[in-house]
Amino acid sequence: IDYFIDLVNLSKQISAWMNQMERENPDVVSSMIYGKTYEDRNITLLKIGFESTTPKKAVWMDCGIHAREWIAPAFCQHFVKEILGSYKSDSKVNTLFKNLDFYITPVLNMDGYIYSWKEYTTRLWRKSRSPGTGDCTCFGTDLNRNFYANWGMVGISRDCCSDIYNGPTALSEPEAKAVTDFLGAYQNEMLCYLTIHSYGQLILVPYGHPNISAPNYDELMEVGLAAAKAITAVHGKSYKVGTPPDILYANSGSSRDFARLIGIPYSFTFELRDEGNYGFILPEDQIQPTCEEAYQGAMSIINYVHDKNFKSAAITVTATLWTTLTALYISSANVF
């Protein structure tokens, strides 16, 4: 299959799809430009959920931070299609829309993604497209090493030609800065951070540094293992769950770790199919099943996060109301 197409049209197709989602679902979908790439392309997200007059809790999802991981943007599109196609008929998804907003960036590293479509020699491009500094003639920074989260400590390279070059400074890349600023602005609302990658069939929890553990590590593992079980139930694929040092490799400066460091309690990286047979060049006939199983994994996490925050709140309110009514009953009984 000749994948490589007119790059101008590719960018337009992505924008057109986002516009279509907004146009066809005006009651629950809006879009927001929250930054610009190095090559001056818009960084755009879809906000999905019922409108509210008060701030709502939120779930973040981004895809395509690494250019060559083409299955990731495909998953974001699948996820959007599924939730928009089911919220009117599925009471659970409808409740999610009432209580949560979804902020979904289908392609975060738009410059790198488009470059990876240019020709066969660029298909495995990973990084952004910013030029090197000083005497470096190579392009790009690994955006998932550029966040202000133990930046530059482990699992990086200072060689600007390396695929894991972490940039001249933390947040040197406008894409990483845009996500950082957005999360900072919505820090109090954000409950869950999901960043979608490939490959390896993994669910990664914070942190990438081997000597630092998340305060809710045990709960993150429990939630991640439940998500892996939900994934396996779809097509039988097995996903490992753990921190990067435990099941992949140590790293620092990731968006997942940054999200957890600023207080977003549930932060996960999904590494989609496969386990290395095809790697980044996933066959076309695996796209749909990969998205189907990952959807169930993501929804397992999202439902857990929602239920913990809203069902526990409902129980508290009910208990408080019962206590108040009981007190009023006793008081009125004493009067008579």
Side-chain angles (χ1 to χ4, degrees):
I1 298 171
D2 186 6
Y3 288 109
F4 303 97
I5 60 176
D6 182 344
L7 303 185
V8 174
N9 283 338
L10 175 61
S11 180
K12 288 181 178 178
Q13 286 172 13
I14 296 167
S15 296
W17 174 78
M18 297 180 77
N19 292 337
Q20 180 186 354
M21 294 301 100
E22 189 173 5
R23 186 174 63 253
E24 293 179 353
N25 306 275
D27 294 339
V28 293
V29 180
S30 60
S31 62
M32 181 187 308
I33 298 169
Y34 64 100
K36 291 276 192 178
T37 67
Y38 175 78
E39 294 178 346
D40 203 37
R41 294 184 175 94
N42 291 336
I43 305 172
T44 308
L45 60 76
L46 292 175
K47 178 184 178 183
I48 301 176
F50 290 124
E51 291 186 11
S52 174
T53 56
T54 57
K56 293 167 65 181
K57 295 299 183 181
V59 170
W60 171 278
M61 180 183 291
D62 67 67
C63 296
I65 192 171
H66 288 146
R68 63 193 177 190
E69 298 168 7
W70 286 6
I71 188 61
F75 172 73
C76 261
Q77 286 188 297
H78 178 84
F79 184 87
V80 168
K81 177 178 71 73
E82 287 298 309
I83 59 173
L84 290 180
S86 60
Y87 80 92
K88 291 180 181 178
S89 58
D90 186 326
S91 60
K92 181 62 180 177
V93 178
N94 190 276
T95 300
L96 292 177
F97 276 35
K98 289 176 182 174
N99 292 332
L100 299 171
D101 284 327
F102 292 83
Y103 294 100
I104 301 174
T105 304
V107 185
L108 178 54
N109 179 11
M110 185 67 82
D111 293 351
Y113 182 67
I114 289 175
Y115 185 69
S116 75
W117 281 82
K118 183 179 179 183
E119 56 190 6
Y120 289 102
T121 60
T122 66
R123 172 61 184 87
L124 294 180
W125 185 259
R126 170 184 171 96
K127 300 187 289 180
S128 68
R129 290 297 297 161
S130 57
T133 56
D135 296 331
C136 180
T137 58
C138 294
F139 282 76
T141 287
D142 183 349
L143 295 178
N144 208 39
R145 302 290 187 278
N146 194 236
F147 285 80
Y148 196 70
N150 304 311
W151 181 82
M153 294 182 70
V154 293
I156 58 93
S157 174
R158 297 304 300 148
D159 175 4
C160 71
C161 295
S162 168
D163 270 352
I164 55 171
Y165 173 55
N166 63 332
T169 62
L171 301 181
S172 60
E173 306 308 293
E175 298 87 351
K177 182 69 162 54
V179 173
T180 296
D181 290 347
F182 188 92
L183 293 181
Y186 291 85
Q187 186 173 342
N188 294 329
E189 286 80 37
M190 208 66 70
L191 291 175
C192 181
Y193 187 96
L194 301 176
T195 180
I196 313 301
H197 294 241
S198 75
Y199 57 91
Q201 295 175 204
L202 310 171
I203 298 176
L204 301 173
V205 304
Y207 286 108
H209 194 291
N211 298 330
I212 306 173
S213 294
N216 61 335
Y217 167 80
D218 289 342
E219 185 185 17
L220 289 170
M221 285 296 297
E222 178 185 344
V223 175
L225 287 166
K229 186 176 180 180
I231 288 171
T232 302
V234 181
H235 295 296
K237 292 297 182 182
S238 176
Y239 274 56
K240 294 179 182 178
V241 182
T243 65
D246 286 345
I247 63 172
L248 187 58
Y249 46 70
N251 57 45
S252 56
S254 72
S255 63
R256 174 203 59 247
D257 285 1
F258 173 74
R260 187 63 195 85
L261 280 171
I262 65 169
I264 299 173
Y266 303 98
S267 182
F268 298 88
T269 301
F270 276 45
E271 297 281 357
L272 304 182
R273 292 193 197 184
D274 58 4
E275 293 182 293
N277 189 26
Y278 294 101
F280 302 113
I281 317 293
L282 197 66
E284 190 174 357
D285 63 3
Q286 289 199 38
I287 295 173
Q288 184 70 19
T290 300
C291 290
E292 289 170 352
E293 66 198 19
Y295 177 79
Q296 293 302 325
M299 290 303 287
S300 173
I301 293 172
I302 292 164
N303 283 323
Y304 174 89
V305 171
H306 171 272
D307 291 352
K308 179 171 182 180
N309 280 271
F310 291 95
K311 284 193 175 179
S312 60
I315 291 169
T316 301
V317 169
T318 301
T320 302
L321 180 60
W322 176 252
T323 302
T324 303
L325 289 172
T326 302
L328 286 171
Y329 175 78
I330 294 171
S331 176
S332 63
N334 290 335
V335 170
F336 294 104

